Amino acid sequence: MKITYWSDFACPYCYIGNTRLKKTIKDLGLENEVEFDTRAFELDQNAPKDVESTTVERFAVKYGLSLNDAEKEVSNISRLGIEEGIDFKYSSTLYTNTRDAHRLMKFAQSKGDANLVEKLGNSLFDAYFTKNLKLADKDVLLNICDEIGLNREESEEVLNTDLYNKEVEKDEEIALMGGIHAVPFYLLDEKYSIPGALSYEDFKKVLKQISDENKENAIKENEKKKDGNKDVDSCKDGVCRI
């Protein structure tokens, strides 16, 4: 099963959704059957490099809420993260541009190491939502690279240039062409789409259904191959197969 998903490291529902999804995969015993394809999606491509407002203030402006109501909404989202076992501190996050974080992810993907990619994704989410670090800070990103085993010198070269900009922009272009305007967005086996962070129970239903379908299709494919080999070790029309 291939799961392609678009997300941003500053998106709370992306962190929550991915946590639920991975828990579901583990509980269903599908770890060796699932292939992830992480795609970039910036919530705000023009976000500043430096922090200009608090999360609550930004939330209030964006949704037209009072600061009190915005604080309640942010707390509710944090509660969802905490329920998933995350030390979720959404109200004190430091919102900045995430382009460099996405470029590093593209660099990690170029290594062809799925474990490294997963470590980087987890560390970037953790840095933002738990440690409340600035993802636009080069030192923060390089320290993460050190922690997960991504070459620091190569990573620094990426951050000091425009490497992997085109790859990030390509992901976002594909999302736009596909009508994806919000994240997380999941595409399973290139035919089943899931917009948003489903509950654990709903993720389980969907993944189990697709897994069962894939197994049925594999059985049918094997049966077709057997039917196609019925003439093996037999003679027909004057010709004997060996």
Side-chain angles (χ1 to χ4, degrees):
M1 183 189 309
K2 182 177 181 180
I3 299 179
T4 304
Y5 68 95
W6 283 260
S7 69
D8 192 8
F9 303 111
C11 166
Y13 289 114
C14 292
Y15 196 10
I16 292 168
N18 290 355
T19 301
R20 290 173 179 168
L21 176 61
K22 289 175 182 178
K23 181 178 185 296
T24 305
I25 290 171
K26 182 179 180 180
D27 289 351
L28 290 175
L30 300 176
E31 296 101 317
N32 297 325
E33 298 180 30
V34 175
E35 172 192 353
F36 285 105
D37 182 11
T38 306
R39 300 295 181 93
F41 189 103
E42 298 166 276
L43 293 176
D44 181 2
Q45 296 178 5
N46 299 312
K49 288 278 188 177
D50 294 313
V51 179
E52 295 184 348
S53 62
T54 68
T55 298
V56 172
E57 290 170 342
R58 191 165 45 82
F59 214 86
V61 171
K62 183 174 182 179
Y63 297 105
L65 302 172
S66 67
L67 287 176
N68 186 52
D69 287 341
E71 188 171 2
K72 289 179 181 178
E73 291 296 327
V74 169
S75 295
N76 287 336
I77 295 174
S78 288
R79 178 179 51 79
L80 293 176
I82 292 170
E83 288 175 354
E84 298 303 325
I86 306 168
D87 185 11
F88 215 85
K89 302 171 183 173
Y90 188 30
S91 63
S92 50
T93 52
L94 302 178
Y95 186 72
T96 58
N97 195 286
T98 58
R99 172 60 68 96
D100 285 345
H102 284 295
R103 292 198 299 121
L104 275 183
M105 175 57 75
K106 288 301 166 189
F107 169 55
Q109 288 176 310
S110 73
K111 298 295 184 180
D113 185 339
N115 187 49
L116 185 65
V117 169
E118 183 174 8
K119 283 183 179 179
L120 179 58
N122 291 339
S123 295
L124 289 169
F125 276 123
D126 178 68
Y128 186 74
F129 287 102
T130 296
K131 298 175 182 174
N132 292 155
L133 301 175
K134 292 196 300 182
L135 293 187
D137 188 302
K138 186 172 79 170
D139 288 334
V140 167
L141 294 174
L142 290 177
N143 287 339
I144 290 174
C145 292
D146 281 340
E147 290 170 4
I148 68 168
L150 191 59
N151 185 278
R152 186 184 181 95
E153 290 184 359
E154 293 178 355
S155 300
E156 191 166 12
E157 182 184 1
V158 171
L159 295 177
N160 288 336
T161 63
D162 63 353
L163 285 170
Y164 299 100
N165 253 331
K166 291 182 179 179
E167 286 80 354
V168 172
E169 291 169 356
K170 182 65 175 178
D171 280 357
E172 295 177 333
E173 180 184 340
I174 293 172
L176 183 62
M177 292 175 62
I180 301 171
H181 302 290
V183 287
F185 187 93
Y186 304 90
L187 182 62
L188 285 66
D189 281 345
E190 299 185 355
K191 56 182 178 180
Y192 301 101
S193 60
I194 300 176
L198 294 183
S199 66
Y200 167 80
E201 291 76 15
D202 287 339
F203 265 133
K204 190 172 184 179
K205 289 178 184 177
V206 173
L207 265 62
K208 189 175 185 308
Q209 178 184 336
I210 296 175
S211 178
D212 289 344
E213 287 180 4
N214 288 343
K215 289 175 182 177
E216 290 178 9
N217 290 335
I219 291 173
K220 290 178 181 178
E221 190 64 28
N222 286 332
E223 289 177 347
K224 286 182 180 179
K225 289 180 180 179
K226 289 179 180 178
D227 289 340
N229 291 330
K230 283 183 177 179
D231 291 334
V232 173
D233 296 337
S234 63
C235 295
K236 182 179 179 181
D237 298 328
V239 177
C240 295
R241 295 188 176 185
I242 300 176

